[in-house]
Amino acid sequence: MIDRYAGIAPKGDLMLLQRLGEIFRGRSFLHVNSTRAGGGVAEILQRMMPILEELGIDARWEVIEADDRFFDITKKIHNAIQGYGEKITEEMWRYYYEVNRSNAGRIDLGADAVFIHDPQPASLIEFRKRRGTWVWRCHIDVSNPVKEVCDHLMRYCEKYDATIFSVAKFTRAISVDEYIIPPSIDPLSEKNRELSDGEINEVLERFGIPGERPILLQVSRFDRFKDPIGVIKAYRMVKKYNDCILILAGSPATDDPEGEVVLNEVREYAAGDPDIFILLLPAFSDREINALQRSATVVLQKSLKEGFGLTVSEAMWKGKPVIGGATGGIPLQIVHGYTGFLVHTPEGAAFRIRQFLNNAAMVKRMGERGREHVRANFLITKQVRDYLSVWYILENKGKTVYEL
Ligand code: UDP
């Protein structure tokens, strides 16, 4: 069972996880989010379900069903929560609520613990059953939101038994318990397992990517917050001094209607440069992403806003030097100057890329530290441990929690 993580994940995490598994054996644990494919939340849930099941927990993952209008509205809410001035009208909020009401009629919300992920399904709380502990799990950056939109959303969030945020800076002045749990990666997944050189080369050949020059890589949805244009700007500055190629790899997420517009902007901006590879990958291209990350010389995640940025831990686990935007959850992963570099501008990114390209010893040193930092803090076994701990604490409120 979770023995397969022995020797990979920290022993203490596995022991506690095992113990919590015994406590919750046979109990039901429901997760609800808004997409089965694309983005970090789906990625984590997909990997977490088998672990919960292996522990003997009756785990279920449901996805809300909605039309384009709903996802247009929730993308605007998402943007506003991340501080990008969007107005949400009363009518939009009503529609948002109605879609959740109809999903509440379709999804069986009865479970001992119910974790609702992100703003899209947050108003499901209005339809909670009497039984069960309800937690709102927020993965996005709420540190500097459009106030009106955030206040409206928080009216739902305050009805939960507790909330979980990824980063301490994201917590809000609200009247429910708040827990801080960063997201995580699964070292045994197809996306993160070891690959042979043959497997890596096969992917590069399939995409027509030359292997002999240094590769700069950013893997992310085509979203302005991920700043793909800024990455191209940085690459162009570097290119004057160091020959290299740039790969921007992304895939569509069903709950992100803006992807195509941003993709077109990026294509236009990159036009005419044969050394920029824009790869639009189908969902679940895990081995391809793994191979691209392993083939990269430097991995970027130059986000302007970021909930956590799983791609950073994915690259660090592979021992890669990383450069990330100094925002959201990225500084948790990138300890500046120790496990990578944090940047604020394309110029800053270009400077750090060149530093990596010209200093192999530093690349190796930071890569090794990065992998250990991920092992200690951002593996999925720790996140499952923490989710079960929150459930335990909430169920045992008022009793002693020292029983753990
Ligand atoms: N991802 C993917 N295919 C892509 C782009 C991204 O599988 O074309 C994955 C990526 O490897 C990571 C997740 O989607 O596991 C993105 O999570 P992150 O936290 O970086 O960003 P989010 O999309 O959730 O904002």
Side-chain angles (χ1 to χ4, degrees), residues 53-72:
E53 281 158 17
E54 282 166 35
L55 289 169
I57 294 167
D58 174 16
R60 190 153 54 88
W61 172 17
E62 300 279 359
V63 174
I64 55 167
E65 281 176 6
D67 58 2
D68 292 350
R69 181 171 167 214
F70 176 83
F71 287 125
D72 276 340

Side-chain angles (χ1 to χ4, degrees), residues 39-40 43 191 219-221 226 249-251 281 289 306 309-311 314:
E43 172 80 20
K191 184 169 284 169
V219 174
S220 63
R221 290 179 293 106
K226 308 282 185 183
S251 36
L281 305 172
I289 304 259
E306 188 61 78
L310 280 178
T311 50
E314 288 165 6

Side-chain angles (χ1 to χ4, degrees), residues 99-250:
V99 170
N100 272 301
R101 182 214 291 276
S102 73
N103 274 283
R106 191 182 58 80
I107 299 172
D108 173 9
L109 293 174
D112 296 320
V114 180
F115 278 29
I116 303 291
H117 296 258
D118 281 340
Q120 297 92 333
S123 61
L124 283 177
I125 186 68
E126 299 290 347
F127 311 97
R128 75 181 288 175
K129 307 278 184 248
R130 221 172 314 128
R131 167 173 85 101
T133 298
W134 279 59
V135 174
W136 185 58
R137 202 308 178 214
C138 177
H139 296 265
I140 62 178
D141 183 342
V142 287
S143 55
N144 190 21
V146 174
K147 188 172 177 312
E148 243 174 67
V149 179
C150 193
D151 287 351
H152 195 116
L153 186 70
M154 288 306 141
R155 269 186 257 150
Y156 293 119
C157 302
E158 291 195 329
K159 294 185 175 166
Y160 285 80
D161 298 312
T163 54
I164 299 176
F165 295 92
S166 294
V167 183
K169 216 172 51 184
F170 296 172
T171 54
R172 317 278 322 156
I174 48 176
S175 58
V176 288
D177 285 354
E178 297 169 272
Y179 293 86
I180 316 295
I181 302 179
S184 61
I185 63 162
D186 186 347
L188 302 181
S189 68
E190 191 63 10
K191 184 169 284 169
N192 296 311
R193 70 171 174 90
E194 296 291 331
L195 291 182
S196 68
D197 288 347
E199 285 174 304
I200 296 171
N201 290 334
E202 183 274 319
V203 171
L204 291 185
E205 271 166 35
R206 185 143 44 88
F207 291 128
I209 294 167
E212 48 300 327
R213 281 179 290 163
I215 296 176
L216 315 181
L217 170 73
Q218 175 156 300
V219 174
S220 63
R221 290 179 293 106
F222 289 96
D223 179 324
R224 291 196 186 93
F225 287 125
K226 308 282 185 183
D227 199 19
I229 300 285
V231 173
I232 297 177
K233 285 183 182 160
Y235 151 83
R236 289 203 167 126
M237 289 177 221
V238 170
K239 185 92 170 176
K240 288 186 202 147
Y241 308 96
N242 293 70
D243 193 14
C244 57
I245 66 172
L246 171 66
I247 305 175
L248 293 170

Side-chain angles (χ1 to χ4, degrees), residues 371-401:
R371 183 170 163 95
E372 291 314 307
H373 189 55
V374 172
R375 189 196 306 283
N377 298 292
F378 306 119
L379 294 187
I380 192 154
T381 36
K382 178 152 184 270
Q383 200 186 350
V384 178
R385 181 202 83 170
D386 290 349
Y387 276 5
L388 295 180
S389 302
V390 168
W391 181 5
Y392 183 86
I393 290 166
L394 292 173
E395 272 201 355
N396 290 278
K397 259 190 163 176
K399 302 180 203 167
T400 173
V401 295

